[in-house]
Amino acid sequence: MKNLILISAFVASLSLKSFGQGNEFIVTWNFGIPTAPLSDIVSKTSLQGWAFEYRRAMTKTLSVGGSVGLNVFHQEHDKYTWHFDDFAITAHDWRFAHVVPLTVNAHFNPLRNMQTPWQVFAGAGMGATYVNEEIWAGIYSFRQEMWGFHFYPEVGVRYVMSNQTALLLSTQFMTVLSGHYTGENLHYWNVRLGFSFGTHRSE
Amino acid sequence: MHRLILSLLATIGLLTSCNLYPGSDARTDTLDMVSTLYDDQIDFKSMQTYALYDDVVPIVEDGSTPNFTITAEIKNTILSSIEANLAAYGWQKVDTTDNPDLIFGSGITVTVNTNIYQSFPIYGWGYPYYGYTVSSYPVGNLIIVALDHKDRDTVTNVAPTVWFGLIQGPLTGGVSDPMGRLDRDISQAFEQSTYLNLNP
């Protein structure tokens, strides 16, 4: 957690530099929608997620950058029964999955050089992810944590309110290789809603 | 604009700072766990009768005396709950001398759960070391077994166990209705054992 705070502070501090040509700082509220196999543990959409991102324009339409984020998946069952071949267990359970992706990314924004408030963009990212999956059942708890490689495609839309600020809505499909406790890849949809501060129209 | 940004940051901070883990306000009885195990080679539906051993025995190491008491109220609650659940499943209670299909027995033991938490490194004078927090609490374990009386060894009189129920729960904190808690957990053991249901 301490490392996460330091990394977040570093990314956030990039925003303290003046927003020169093509620099962008983005803060988003993230919604995580789990898919199999993560949904086998937690099927509930996560509203507890955030990300800080920095992008730097390399050309008029292409930018590269990095981000750090967090999604917390959580679900509680009053009474849940696991059935196996010849035995069954019932308990009140709490289930968690914490996903912390550290990403480098690239985005293509074809409308950045046009004077239009609506800008669509597409991109991709990859990096390292910390995953912590926990089940607390009765008086017992089970925990699996690991680091894995992740990647995602992303599409989104930006509404430019001024040359320096914009609203942002995007969707990523995250894949963390061997990120699930069974060894399978972990997947979820990451819907992001937030603000972008920086240069949104090319000169 | 600044208000919107601050609202977004505040929302993010509020949502992600919520403590989702069960804390000290979790009720003791929500931590109960009910486990059942059965011999899947047994055809329970071909059976009809059972006998119930009329005591709940303390389970301790050989030669030692139990450090807990099984009150008459606890014993009566356990036995009547087993009876009621089996009756609901269509079983007929008979005496042990009437050659029942199954014999049910129950016992209680108390164990201690110990949790060890390793904290972040503590940096003081000298080499940093990890701090540990150790906590422990007593756990009550109710064991219910069903023995196949008709498949017993007639020489040693030992019968195989064909069904096993284990109910575990912490014995800490005030529970407003401890007998109700026992009854609920025993009922859950039978609820998840639908193969014991003889009703059509």
Side-chain angles (χ1 to χ4, degrees):
Chain A
M1 182 51 72
K2 192 163 64 171
N3 290 337
L4 178 59
I5 294 170
L6 287 173
I7 292 168
S8 305
F10 171 72
V11 174
S13 72
L14 297 177
S15 68
L16 298 178
K17 292 182 179 292
S18 61
F19 292 118
Q21 301 283 341
N23 290 345
E24 231 183 307
F25 177 70
I26 299 169
V27 57
T28 59
W29 179 12
N30 292 4
F31 309 92
I33 304 170
T35 61
L38 176 59
S39 54
D40 293 341
I41 296 183
V42 181
S43 56
K44 202 169 145 188
T45 295
S46 159
L47 300 181
Q48 292 172 282
W50 52 261
F52 294 117
E53 183 178 350
Y54 173 74
R55 294 184 194 177
R56 182 178 180 83
M58 307 306 290
T59 68
K60 284 184 180 175
T61 56
L62 183 67
S63 64
V64 295
S67 72
V68 60
L70 169 68
N71 280 91
V72 179
F73 298 89
H74 163 252
Q75 193 162 13
E76 181 179 346
H77 295 103
D78 253 351
K79 187 174 84 167
Y80 190 87
T81 301
W82 288 270
H83 286 281
F84 304 95
D85 289 336
D86 56 0
F87 72 96
I89 300 173
T90 298
H92 186 126
D93 74 42
W94 296 260
R95 306 176 183 198
F96 308 90
H98 298 86
V99 185
V100 184
L102 308 174
T103 307
V104 291
N105 56 40
H107 291 88
F108 176 64
N109 182 352
L111 299 178
R112 187 167 174 271
N113 60 349
M114 296 182 185
Q115 296 299 318
T116 167
W118 293 98
Q119 296 179 358
V120 292
F121 64 89
M126 61 179 178
T129 299
Y130 168 80
V131 179
N132 174 43
E133 293 175 316
E134 293 180 61
I135 298 177
W136 293 44
I139 56 175
Y140 301 105
S141 63
F142 310 92
R143 182 179 178 187
Q144 171 91 12
E145 55 181 357
M146 53 84 69
W147 280 91
F149 175 77
H150 79 264
F151 57 90
Y152 62 79
E154 181 177 12
V155 292
V157 62
R158 193 154 45 192
Y159 180 73
V160 179
M161 296 181 290
S162 71
N163 280 348
Q164 294 284 328
T165 54
L167 288 173
L168 179 142
L169 175 66
S170 74
T171 301
Q172 302 167 344
F173 185 67
M174 182 74 78
T175 296
V176 183
L177 296 183
S178 301
H180 194 50
Y181 75 93
T182 59
E184 298 167 88
N185 296 340
L186 187 137
H187 303 285
Y188 64 95
W189 289 97
N190 192 23
V191 178
R192 308 169 63 200
L193 173 66
F195 284 104
S196 167
F197 310 95
T199 310
H200 298 291
R201 292 196 175 92
S202 64
E203 305 308 318
Chain B
M1 174 56 59
H2 285 117
R3 213 173 291 171
L4 278 174
I5 296 165
L6 285 172
S7 300
L8 176 67
L9 289 173
T11 302
I12 292 172
L14 187 66
L15 283 177
T16 54
S17 66
C18 290
N19 180 20
L20 305 169
Y21 286 88
S24 56
D25 57 344
R27 291 194 337 264
T28 299
D29 52 343
T30 59
L31 300 178
D32 291 354
M33 177 174 263
V34 180
S35 311
T36 52
L37 175 69
Y38 76 105
D39 183 348
D40 57 7
Q41 301 300 311
I42 299 295
D43 179 17
F44 292 99
K45 293 203 186 296
S46 66
M47 302 177 177
Q48 255 186 319
T49 58
Y50 77 97
L52 177 61
Y53 185 57
D54 63 359
D55 196 8
V56 179
V57 298
I59 302 172
V60 293
E61 285 182 21
D62 285 343
S64 62
T65 52
N67 60 356
F68 55 91
T69 304
I70 303 174
T71 64
E73 187 184 19
I74 291 173
K75 185 178 96 171
N76 292 337
T77 300
I78 292 170
L79 295 177
S80 58
S81 184
I82 294 172
E83 254 186 78
N85 280 283
L86 285 171
Y89 269 176
W91 289 83
Q92 181 187 354
K93 184 182 177 187
V94 299
D95 287 335
T96 51
T97 53
D98 292 332
N99 199 26
D101 293 308
L102 296 178
I103 295 182
F104 280 82
S106 56
I108 287 177
T109 185
V110 175
T111 53
V112 176
N113 258 30
T114 301
N115 297 313
I116 303 173
Y117 299 100
Q118 180 180 315
S119 63
F120 286 104
I122 296 173
Y123 295 92
W125 295 107
Y127 196 79
Y129 61 95
Y130 284 90
Y132 293 92
T133 302
V134 180
S135 65
S136 59
Y137 56 91
V139 174
N141 306 273
L142 168 61
I143 296 166
I144 308 170
V145 295
L147 310 175
D148 190 344
H149 183 251
K150 291 188 175 169
D151 195 27
R152 70 190 183 284
D153 185 319
T154 50
V155 174
T156 61
N157 216 26
V158 172
T161 302
V162 295
W163 184 83
F164 176 88
L166 172 63
I167 295 162
Q168 295 178 290
L171 300 176
T172 57
V175 177
S176 59
D177 182 13
M179 297 305 120
R181 174 189 182 188
L182 255 181
D183 183 48
R184 276 192 307 275
D185 289 345
I186 294 170
S187 296
Q188 175 59 46
F190 286 95
E191 188 181 318
Q192 64 193 50
S193 304
T194 53
Y195 38 82
L196 290 176
N197 190 354
L198 304 181
N199 299 316

